[in-house]
Amino acid sequence: MKVPIRARYDKVMINVNKFFINEKIFDFPVDPFSVIKNNKWGLITYSELAEIHQIDISDIIRAYQSEDGYTIYDGTNYTIAYNDTISSSGRIRFTLMHEIGHIYMNHLVDFEATILKRSTLTESKYRILENEVNSFARNVLAPAIIVRNLQLNKHNDLVRYFRISSSAASFRLRALKLDFQYLFTPFIKLQLNQFKDFIYNKTNSKQCLNCNHSFVHEIANFCPICGQDQLIKGEGDNKMIYSGCEVDEYGRAKICPRCENEQLENGDYCKICGVYTINKCGSYEWYNNEISWECGTILDGNARFCTTCGHKSTFFESGLLDSWDVEKGEREEEENHRLMANDGVPF
Amino acid sequence: MKIGKTLVALRKKRGITQDQIADILGIKRARYNSWENDIAKPGLEMLDKIADFYGVQTDFILGRNISDSDNQLSDIEEDVRALARDIQDLNSGDKDLLKDLINTMRQRGKKALDE
């Protein structure tokens, strides 16, 4: 087959979707290393090659005519070589996805011009194939449809969400219009469905300014950990997730949080130690030995406070969960110990 | 000895027209065209100029000894494919290195399949 005269961006989009389905990608950032491993493709770094052949990285770059990566197909398997001495991990991820793009676009099989022995690939043909896989890489690493759906328009957000380099993020934003020309309704539907959990989590993530707790909730008014109402949208940098018991969607513990009894199928109390095994808002009113009113919000297993009204949770009232400042203090102490141990400082 | 095809290939790879190369050599396009069509042959001086311009050996244009000197990639197996452009521009040392690197890559690919 002859190299096309212009980049086939429509075909790229088909392969992007094929990639998401085949590789079972539901989350970001996408990990190119596990994709390569799962497909049993070979992978080698420029450093390894330099070591094996006793040469410099610059020699490898010259021989490959590529600073970032090189892919071969030998009739049975693909092998990717990449420059691991590049300091930006975002750029390395882009390079690997770019090389995976050559494989997904079937470049090394379809085009006789890639037969190395004859090597009739000219600069202009090479550019066309490169443009195709650059489009593949950006649409796999940071799909246009997700960027639009989450209304990401600052390139820092892209760097954080998709772990791409800052220059790739700028390019991603500039190429949005181009990519949307080739995103047809079935592709959009497929991607929105494939990544609905990711989108949900990102749109509803919140962080508490008081205790740094980071969680996903549609309508929380109060922080479930410290009970304060200083919640901001999005994920902060120093996020902290507090410990708790594992509960099901009805707030019922899977294992008794006090005595570790595993038989909690019947009733709301543990039959061994008698503790109340559902974590929910502890705010209710008694009248004539009956509950006449309750907030009733079902809570996560680590919630110390109700997200709706800020009242203490049943688990917290039963003393099953530590107060947030206690846990935070312990963790900071552990962290200090760990850092000290790593530095080898004697006590 | 026919050199027309080689001249066409070299020129196309550079992406220039007959007019442009004729200008560079300081001759008329018609004269240059006659070389590409194997109607006439360039003189030694012109051959030298062409080789200089494309950065190749005159032997390459004449089609001599290509298998041992200028195309060291010929002993790479037919099956090996890569996105390499203008590989003829590599000097012979780099070509040898590329061959070695590719062999190492092939071993790695084979190992990955077995794992």
Side-chain angles (χ1 to χ4, degrees):
Chain A
M1 204 162 119
K2 278 194 171 166
V3 175
I5 50 166
R6 56 178 75 83
R8 301 159 300 167
Y9 293 119
D10 49 343
K11 195 170 174 188
V12 171
M13 284 304 178
I14 294 172
N15 279 299
V16 166
N17 281 286
K18 215 166 94 185
F19 177 88
F20 287 143
I21 296 168
N22 286 357
E23 310 297 339
K24 302 189 175 58
I25 307 291
F26 298 103
D27 205 0
F28 295 97
V30 179
D31 177 16
F33 290 99
S34 64
V35 170
I36 291 167
K37 197 159 182 252
N38 293 342
N39 283 288
K40 292 180 170 248
W41 296 322
L43 182 68
I44 196 162
T45 62
Y46 280 20
S47 302
E48 285 178 88
L49 287 167
E51 174 76 31
I52 293 168
H53 295 282
Q54 289 297 307
I55 44 172
D56 290 335
I57 302 288
S58 60
D59 297 326
I60 299 174
I61 292 173
R62 226 177 39 246
Y64 282 153
Q65 296 169 289
S66 166
E67 197 184 335
D68 293 284
Y70 198 77
T71 300
I72 63 157
Y73 178 62
D74 61 11
T76 29
N77 200 10
Y78 289 98
T79 303
I80 298 170
Y82 73 98
N83 189 352
D84 56 322
T85 63
I86 283 172
S87 58
S88 153
S89 69
R91 178 160 161 192
I92 289 177
R93 283 159 41 72
F94 191 92
T95 299
L96 292 174
M97 213 42 96
H98 171 115
E99 302 300 333
I100 292 171
H102 284 308
I103 300 175
Y104 256 84
M105 291 296 289
N106 229 15
H107 285 163
L108 301 180
V109 175
D110 284 350
F111 303 120
E112 289 82 16
T114 62
I115 297 174
L116 203 55
K117 188 173 170 176
R118 282 177 257 151
S119 178
T120 51
L121 203 64
T122 58
E123 182 69 28
S124 57
K125 288 178 185 166
Y126 174 82
R127 279 285 138 228
I128 289 165
L129 299 181
E130 290 289 286
N131 282 343
E132 288 189 356
V133 294
N134 282 337
S135 165
F136 178 89
R138 73 169 174 266
N139 281 297
V140 161
L141 288 170
I145 191 71
I146 309 291
V147 172
R148 188 175 71 173
N149 203 281
L150 293 174
Q151 294 170 5
L152 303 176
N153 44 30
K154 286 195 287 288
H155 88 280
N156 275 349
D157 287 341
L158 273 88
V159 171
R160 216 176 59 227
Y161 279 46
F162 303 111
R163 299 260 175 264
I164 52 180
S165 70
S166 154
S167 58
S170 308
F171 196 80
R172 156 74 292 168
L173 289 174
R174 265 183 287 141
L176 275 180
K177 217 171 151 189
L178 169 74
D179 289 341
F180 270 115
Q181 287 174 26
Y182 300 96
L183 266 170
F184 306 120
T185 318
F187 300 161
I188 295 177
K189 270 192 183 156
L190 183 141
Q191 289 187 25
L192 285 180
N193 185 45
Q194 183 98 350
F195 301 115
K196 61 176 190 287
D197 289 348
F198 176 81
I199 294 171
Y200 179 87
N201 288 344
K202 290 295 172 189
T203 1
N204 295 303
S205 67
K206 294 185 168 58
Q207 193 176 29
C208 173
L209 291 176
N210 184 39
C211 69
N212 285 342
H213 179 58
S214 179
F215 63 107
V216 177
H217 199 287
E218 271 172 84
I219 44 165
N221 302 322
F222 296 90
C223 171
I225 300 299
C226 66
Q228 299 294 308
D229 60 352
Q230 304 166 29
L231 297 179
I232 50 161
K233 277 195 86 152
E235 292 170 332
D237 291 327
N238 51 347
K239 66 176 177 186
M240 173 131 181
I241 291 165
Y242 286 81
S243 61
C245 324
E246 215 183 316
V247 295
D248 63 14
E249 56 190 301
Y250 306 108
R252 187 189 299 269
K254 291 173 180 165
I255 300 169
C256 174
R258 181 185 283 164
C259 70
E260 297 183 2
N261 166 32
E262 292 181 16
Q263 294 174 301
L264 295 177
E265 299 80 36
N266 302 315
D268 298 344
Y269 294 88
C270 172
K271 66 179 180 183
I272 306 295
C273 70
V275 79
Y276 190 63
T277 58
I278 297 174
N279 197 23
K280 62 179 195 178
C281 177
S283 171
Y284 48 81
E285 283 168 16
W286 284 95
Y287 184 75
N288 276 350
N289 274 344
E290 259 177 52
I291 292 173
S292 61
W293 174 88
E294 64 172 334
C295 165
T297 308
I298 300 292
L299 301 170
D300 282 341
N302 62 355
R304 281 95 165 137
F305 293 91
C306 174
T307 49
T308 311
C309 66
H311 191 278
K312 283 181 183 173
S313 75
T314 50
F315 277 12
F316 193 45
E317 284 185 329
S318 316
L320 299 172
L321 298 169
D322 285 336
S323 174
W324 70 275
D325 40 352
V326 173
E327 182 172 349
K328 195 167 185 228
E330 277 174 6
R331 284 218 213 169
E332 278 164 3
E333 204 169 305
E334 267 173 39
E335 183 67 18
N336 285 342
H337 270 285
R338 206 177 54 79
L339 286 177
M340 294 251 230
N342 280 354
D343 287 346
V345 179
F347 293 105
Chain B
M1 188 179 292
K2 293 194 169 163
I3 64 164
K5 278 193 178 147
T6 317
L7 290 179
V8 175
L10 283 170
R11 183 171 58 77
K12 289 254 164 85
K13 212 176 69 188
R14 276 295 166 97
I16 57 174
T17 63
Q18 285 195 348
D19 272 319
Q20 285 169 307
I21 179 75
D23 268 358
I24 289 157
L25 298 170
I27 55 171
K28 290 223 164 69
R29 192 192 66 85
R31 182 169 164 212
Y32 176 80
N33 179 51
S34 68
W35 302 341
E36 280 198 358
N37 290 312
D38 289 314
I39 296 163
K41 286 170 194 147
L44 291 182
E45 241 167 71
M46 280 300 159
L47 184 63
D48 194 38
K49 269 193 177 178
I50 295 169
D52 274 352
F53 175 68
Y54 290 120
V56 295
Q57 301 286 322
T58 50
D59 270 356
F60 176 76
I61 298 171
L62 297 172
R64 291 167 60 98
N65 290 335
I66 282 174
S67 52
D68 354 308
S69 67
D70 247 299
N71 199 353
Q72 285 104 333
L73 289 169
S74 58
D75 51 327
I76 280 189
E77 280 171 53
E78 182 85 1
D79 289 339
V80 175
R81 292 165 176 238
L83 281 177
R85 75 258 201 225
D86 296 340
I87 212 156
Q88 319 298 354
D89 294 354
L90 288 178
N91 67 38
S92 53
D94 285 341
K95 275 185 193 161
D96 281 338
L97 176 56
L98 181 62
K99 264 191 311 193
D100 291 345
L101 293 174
I102 282 170
N103 278 332
T104 309
M105 286 177 81
R106 291 187 68 177
Q107 288 165 21
R108 181 58 63 98
K110 202 157 175 278
K111 226 171 94 188
L113 269 188
D114 296 338
E115 269 169 17

